[in-house]
Amino acid sequence: MKELVFVDTCANQARYRLRVPDAMKTWKLESFLDYMGRNQNEALEQAYLPKPAATFEHEIFRQLVSAPAASLNHPLKFSQYGTTLEADDSIDLSNPSNEVFLDRRFDSGGLNCESLSLKKRNRRNFEDCAEHIVPIFDTLFDFERFPIETRDGRRVASVGELTHVFGSDLDEANQVRFLYRVSRIIHGAPFENISKILVDKQLRGGLAMWENILGGFGGVCSEKTLALKFVCDSLGIQNSPVFGSTGRIPRDIEKRLTRYVESEGEEKLDVWIQHHLLKIEIGERSVLIDATNGNIPFTFLFDADAALRVRCGMRARMVYRVERMHLTEVSDLAGDIMLTISEFHVPDLHFQFMFQHGLGLHISENAYLGVYFDWGGERSALMQNYYSRAARRLRLPYPRFVHAANMSSVPDENLSRLLNEVLQALRARYEKREYTGDFTFVIQPLTSDRWRAPHVSRAAKGLLWPGKENS
Amino acid sequence: MSSMGDNNPSLTYAKEVPGAECLFMPPDLEEYKDDPWDIRISIGDAPLDEAYYFTVDDPSASSLTIRDLLEKHALNPELAIRLDVEHYPELPFLQEELIQYYTSSQKGSLQLDIYVNHSGMGPVHLHERAERRMSVCRYEDGSLDYRVLDLVFHAVVADPNTFILARRQETYRQLFLLLLLGHFQSQGDKTCATFFSHKAVREALKGVGARREHEDLEKTLGDLRRASHVEHSTPGADLKITPSGQTQIDALRQEAMSLSERFDPFAAISIAPPALGVPNGFDVRAQMMEYEGLDVERAIMLKIIHDIRGELFDDQWYEKFKDLLGFDDVRNALAFKTNFSVEVLDQLKTLGGGAQ
């Protein structure tokens, strides 16, 4: 098999790979578009020979091609060897690896948000990939150890089954129990940017996030929210977005976001949305869930507690600084726009998370792994000084600074290998030429001096662990 | 300096609220006697701006004990309804967490030391009255000015490496004793009579059957005897330092002095730009020692014993030997060792004369 790679020339610069038989020398674009309009089983039934290199990545690509407006894109244009391909043209497959460039900017009309519905996109992704995603869910959710029962006492064995019974045959306690389990798994996944850097991915959507979580990785708050939203949308659980920011979120945020999209980024969006979480409806009940992790406590709040938290905000300390975050409930459209532009339209978002937002590569209870640009001399000293002073202020153990020349000094072999891979990835992918230096990692051990207990409403405890609501 | 596993007598807290000044027992405390006041509880070194607050409306309640204030006010779940959730909606959850700490400590399943921020003192006792431990917190912009009992909860976690720790302590006790003998000898006490006349030594020298409380000393003396650093001149007589022991003592002293000479210049440095002798600078001595390939823990221990020998080797030397005074400082130094890069260390080394 040889490779056919579609290289997105826009914002996220994603690469979508297909494997095509060696004997295939060309592929008519019209036929390719027909292939992309079918899910993977249908394509097989139609005897299409190319196969996706990665199932979930292919689903994103399929939706981009077949329903571009659903992710705020124009219809795609394909080009090869500098020539735009029309429906009658063929993709040349004569090389062992063949590249086709795709552009989603060209169009006669402007963009609008009418076709945008993350709920529909998630639902479609779930249905088209059920045979791949359901086993991942079942492995992670482990229904043996964390049982979910229908009203008539029957144990649910799979998420596939849950899609039919969630709203109808589960009582409130079992619905809440499932939601809690899902949220805990997401919270337990690391708060990290490493897995994005290694494969040059800006932001993972819900489908891809679950594959990543199964692989032991995680993501940042918006990715974790996407993962939770994916499960909710797949099971038909009502959910709505909540934004967080140290500044106030304006009342007309939806209008501003819509204008931003319709102007295709020309109109500035003067709002910094720093945090994204979900409010979920279970029957008459609202549940506010924050499964971000990092150093943000797990939050699972019912009704009045949820309303209070949204009204009064939260204090959050990721590493060095405590920030007061205002929370605002926003419309589904506003949430969908934010998550969609993050996934498809903001160039180098993963680097923004790491450098501008200061989230670094990884934050856990035990350590913060940061990275900074280092061009030696005074710059090295200034940065080491900055991190060391921050550590001393909080009486944290002093950080360790690791770069190419002292990588071998990292005692943990796995960590050393990982850092080396990240360093190579950063060197290869961070293309801002104003930074002529290299990268230095800062490993900041974190002490146990922090608030740890999850914020779970008493009423939730009563449903999750009957009789323990006061403990 | 905080989570070292033992009750650390040198541990104190002086955490600040950004934009405010916290004063422990200021002279004008009396002026606040008719105002409601706060009990603030933070965890270890966690910043105060994420602390738990409980407002006590009754000004005279400051005459209660800390135990009463915790149990009847700040950590009383029935009063959670009075928490300022409009400003800090997470307070009920913080209260739950603190109650768990407190309850576990009352049951004996967790050692919880409670400090008073800015007091400069070790842990407080629960029976102490709050009025003797009060602070005032004043915001620089004048927006807030209040009396506060500023408590810091420090939960002590047991050290899992107790076996390794015990082995290291044995080694350092030998070191301690050799330098102690050398010290007494250098004071003109040729036979170290001061040492051997100590009750603990006499007990320890009796060997089997000696009081258990002196078994550490008995063991260390036995180790020194087996290493031929001390010996009996005649059976049953006092021990005396052998020529080999004397050589060892001299070598330890020499080593300690050399460590001071080489590494003290790095006790207060800045790195941007690199400079030595900077007030309130970073202490990179431990990292420099590591960089030079030394056994850092042993080097620091030796240096501490030698540097404060005047304090250690007095009439109370036995208690200090038993507690291995200084070892906490060594562990703190290692836990908070700097980790500057080789380039920075090289520059500092050049400034410091090469740390040969």
Side-chain angles (χ1 to χ4, degrees), chain B residues 199-211 218 221 225:
Chain B
K199 188 181 166 199
V201 181
R202 290 205 314 272
E203 291 283 343
L205 287 174
K206 284 181 191 167
V208 180
R211 291 169 59 179
E218 184 191 340
L221 284 170
R225 208 161 33 203

Side-chain angles (χ1 to χ4, degrees), chain A residues 301 311-313 315 317 322 324 381 384-385 388 392 395 398-401 403 449 451-453 461, chain B residues 2 12-13 45 49-51 86-90 93 96-97 271 280-282 336-337 339-341 343:
Chain A
L301 300 176
R311 191 171 72 244
C312 304
R315 291 182 286 182
R317 171 171 60 117
V322 180
R324 181 83 189 213
Q384 292 186 26
N385 200 33
S388 299
R392 191 161 63 173
R395 293 210 292 196
Y398 278 81
R400 178 188 280 259
F401 302 97
H403 51 69
D449 293 334
W451 299 93
R452 300 156 165 260
K461 288 182 183 172
Chain B
S2 53
T12 58
Y13 290 94
D45 286 324
D49 40 11
E50 61 178 31
E86 286 297 324
H87 286 99
Y88 305 105
E90 68 277 21
F93 301 100
E96 278 180 28
E97 187 168 351
I271 61 167
N280 196 28
F282 293 111
F336 293 90
K337 177 174 65 65
N339 268 306
F340 293 117
S341 65
E343 291 86 339

Side-chain angles (χ1 to χ4, degrees), chain B residues 3-6 156-165 327 331:
Chain B
S3 306
M4 294 302 299
D6 305 301
V156 179
V157 183
D159 192 322
N161 298 316
T162 42
F163 177 72
I164 296 169
L165 194 66
F327 192 55
R331 299 178 71 203

Side-chain angles (χ1 to χ4, degrees), chain B residues 181-353:
Chain B
L181 288 167
H183 178 76
F184 283 139
Q185 203 169 42
S186 68
Q187 299 294 305
D189 189 352
K190 290 287 179 201
T191 57
C192 300
T194 312
F195 173 73
F196 291 112
S197 62
H198 195 283
K199 188 181 166 199
V201 181
R202 290 205 314 272
E203 291 283 343
L205 287 174
K206 284 181 191 167
V208 180
R211 291 169 59 179
R212 282 193 63 79
E213 65 177 284
H214 299 136
E215 64 186 356
D216 283 341
L217 183 60
E218 184 191 340
K219 182 173 185 328
T220 309
L221 284 170
D223 290 340
L224 292 181
R225 208 161 33 203
R226 278 187 291 280
S228 303
H229 293 328
V230 292
E231 64 180 11
H232 291 283
S233 51
T234 55
D238 283 347
L239 290 171
K240 70 170 193 178
I241 301 169
T242 64
S244 136
Q246 189 57 54
T247 307
Q248 181 68 11
I249 291 167
D250 292 343
L252 287 172
R253 280 181 181 158
Q254 190 55 44
E255 186 184 349
M257 284 189 288
S258 162
L259 286 170
S260 294
E261 195 179 322
R262 289 166 67 190
F263 296 104
D264 280 356
F266 305 110
I269 63 104
S270 78
I271 61 167
L276 305 180
V278 178
N280 196 28
F282 293 111
D283 185 346
V284 291
R285 285 179 294 181
Q287 195 190 358
M288 271 295 184
M289 287 175 182
E290 183 186 60
Y291 185 49
E292 298 291 328
L294 301 184
D295 175 345
V296 185
E297 188 182 279
R298 181 186 172 281
I300 298 174
M301 190 69 200
L302 174 62
K303 199 168 135 34
I304 287 176
I305 296 174
H306 185 261
D307 287 356
I308 61 168
R309 59 190 181 281
E311 277 174 55
L312 289 177
F313 303 153
D314 58 9
D315 292 348
Q316 307 297 314
W317 67 265
Y318 176 66
E319 283 69 32
K320 293 161 191 169
F321 164 84
K322 217 176 157 195
D323 294 343
L324 204 58
L325 205 73
F327 192 55
D328 277 343
D329 295 334
V330 176
R331 299 178 71 203
N332 285 339
L334 289 175
F336 293 90
K337 177 174 65 65
T338 54
N339 268 306
F340 293 117
S341 65
V342 171
E343 291 86 339
V344 168
L345 297 185
D346 276 340
Q347 285 179 336
L348 291 171
K349 197 171 154 184
T350 310
L351 290 173

Side-chain angles (χ1 to χ4, degrees), chain A residues 269-310:
Chain A
L269 183 66
D270 295 327
V271 186
W272 187 21
I273 295 156
Q274 291 165 271
H275 197 37
H276 196 144
L277 50 162
L278 276 193
K279 194 178 87 171
I280 286 166
E281 311 296 330
I282 297 274
E284 297 295 305
R285 214 179 260 297
S286 296
V287 192
L288 183 72
I289 298 176
D290 192 337
T292 302
N293 202 336
N295 276 330
I296 296 179
F298 175 72
T299 302
F300 196 85
L301 300 176
F302 274 7
D303 306 321
D305 290 340
L308 180 71
R309 183 64 60 96
V310 171

